[in-house]
Amino acid sequence: MLTLITNNSDLFSNIKNAELIDGSSLDVLIRVRSLVHLGSKIITHPLCGNLRPNHQPFRSVLIDSLKGPAEMESLSIIEEAVHVYESCKLITPNELDEDTRADYAYIDSELLRESLEQYGLISHQNLDAAPLLSMKEE
């Protein structure tokens, strides 16, 4: 079963199968690492978007929730991502004003948009209906 692990509450509310992490982007990666140790496989790269960790208070990772031995490729990917995030001073969503938080949440959502639609976690109709996942009109 595909599951989105995220600290982006706006994205969480639009996804069929998601786990909301109340914490930082690093907390999301640590949760994903725990699930990988239990056998889950990473579907979307935890460092997608080529954004520096200190510029990304939201992080969302799509995984295939499986049980069994850890898959070595997923384990290597998540360990590298955790190491990158641990080496930076992070900003958390709680440190941001509402407009800035909304902008960062939007970026995180857009980074996952195509994958979420491809894997059926959100329909094209929901993408168009969700203001978070479509362009805001001024």
Side-chain angles (χ1 to χ4, degrees):
M1 172 191 303
L2 296 179
T3 305
L4 183 71
I5 311 299
T6 185
N7 65 336
N8 183 341
S9 59
D10 296 336
L11 182 57
F12 170 79
S13 65
N14 288 297
I15 302 303
K16 294 177 185 173
N17 191 31
E19 179 181 332
L20 182 63
I21 304 298
D22 183 21
S24 71
S25 50
L26 177 59
D27 294 326
V28 170
L29 298 181
I30 290 170
R31 175 64 177 148
V32 170
R33 180 176 64 186
S34 295
L35 294 169
V36 167
H37 279 281
L38 295 173
S40 292
K41 180 180 177 182
I42 293 174
I43 303 299
T44 59
H45 201 287
L47 298 178
C48 73
N50 201 25
L51 298 169
R52 292 184 222 169
N54 60 339
H55 292 148
Q56 190 61 22
F58 294 102
R59 180 55 50 193
S60 300
V61 180
L62 186 58
I63 63 167
D64 192 351
S65 300
L66 304 168
K67 298 293 182 201
E71 189 221 13
M72 297 312 291
E73 183 177 355
S74 289
L75 189 56
S76 175
I77 289 169
I78 194 61
E79 289 292 352
E80 177 186 345
V82 167
H83 177 71
V84 167
Y85 270 70
E86 286 177 333
S87 68
C88 296
K89 179 180 179 341
L90 302 175
I91 53 176
T92 63
N94 296 337
E95 296 175 49
L96 304 170
D97 64 72
E98 191 59 31
D99 287 340
T100 304
R101 191 205 70 75
D103 287 344
Y104 278 121
Y106 177 80
I107 291 167
D108 179 60
S109 299
E110 284 300 305
L111 289 171
L112 274 283
R113 181 183 179 123
E114 187 176 327
S115 294
L116 294 172
E117 187 177 20
Q118 176 185 349
Y119 289 106
L121 290 176
I122 193 165
S123 70
H124 185 69
Q125 280 182 317
N126 288 345
L127 284 173
D128 291 337
L132 172 70
L133 298 172
S134 60
M135 293 300 292
K136 297 180 189 176
E137 293 187 25
E138 297 296 322

